[in-house]
Amino acid sequence: QVQLVQSGAEVKKPGSSVKVSCKASGGTFSSYTISWVRQAPGQGLEWVGRIIPILGIANYAQKFQGRVTITADKSTSTAYMELSSLRSEDTAVYYCARAGSTDFDYWGQGTLVSVSS
Amino acid sequence: QAVVTQEPSLTVSPGGTVTLTCGSSTGAVTSGHYPYWFQQKPGQAPRTLIYDTSNKHSWPPARFSGSLLGGKAALTLSGAQPEDEAEYYCLLSYSGVWVFGGGTKLTVL
């Protein structure tokens, strides 16, 4: 059974960066797309971007272009999402989701990133 | 970036039928947008209900179905149950860039 375990909650200052990890177990890591989705408190879902680990190719929502980097380490079956120049509006729960029979079959538990001075 | 629109809220009676829709600012939603529908309950991660317009994931009961309707993607719930009360999100692909709708809060009352 595929499981995605994300890193713990983070508290960051405005202008800093955060790197969230998503470790996969079960199944083949490299062959399946991993997406990152965020949800601000009381708000809707927002797609951030995705990576195809076997190719190392990522694409991002226009809103985050230049500020987000998604990477994958095939040796540890871990995907990462790094967001820079943080502002208060980036406060959200960040989810990773892995493809299976659909592009969003398996979800991590979510990581709360809080940005506050 | 395209904007994906959903009804902010809908109410359905237990046993009733309701259709949620998902529109695109770029024009008609087609199968080429690979419409997804997700269900999310408070404090939980989203779960995929429907993918590629009308394909149902392994877990949703038969009362959920997806389609294209009047230039929009649609999620129809026939025979609503109290446990279907949740937030529902659609997701569309624009040449590999995904965009979520704002979500529909469905109340079963």
Side-chain angles (χ1 to χ4, degrees), chain A residues 103-114:
Chain A
D103 277 358
F104 303 90
D105 261 5
Y106 307 100
W107 291 74
Q109 83 275 21
T111 296
L112 176 62
V113 175
S114 300

Side-chain angles (χ1 to χ4, degrees), chain A residues 78-115:
Chain A
T78 303
Y80 299 91
M81 191 259 341
E82 183 169 22
L83 188 61
S84 62
S85 303
L86 290 169
R87 33 212 190 228
S88 58
E89 310 88 88
D90 294 317
T91 294
V93 174
Y94 289 76
Y95 294 101
C96 61
R98 204 209 81 166
S101 55
T102 81
D103 277 358
F104 303 90
D105 261 5
Y106 307 100
W107 291 74
Q109 83 275 21
T111 296
L112 176 62
V113 175
S114 300
V115 183

Side-chain angles (χ1 to χ4, degrees), chain A residues 15-38:
Chain A
S16 67
S17 298
V18 68
K19 192 169 186 176
V20 181
S21 68
C22 169
K23 183 171 175 60
S25 61
T28 305
F29 175 76
S30 297
S31 305
Y32 296 96
T33 301
I34 292 186
S35 289
W36 288 89
V37 174
R38 78 176 188 180

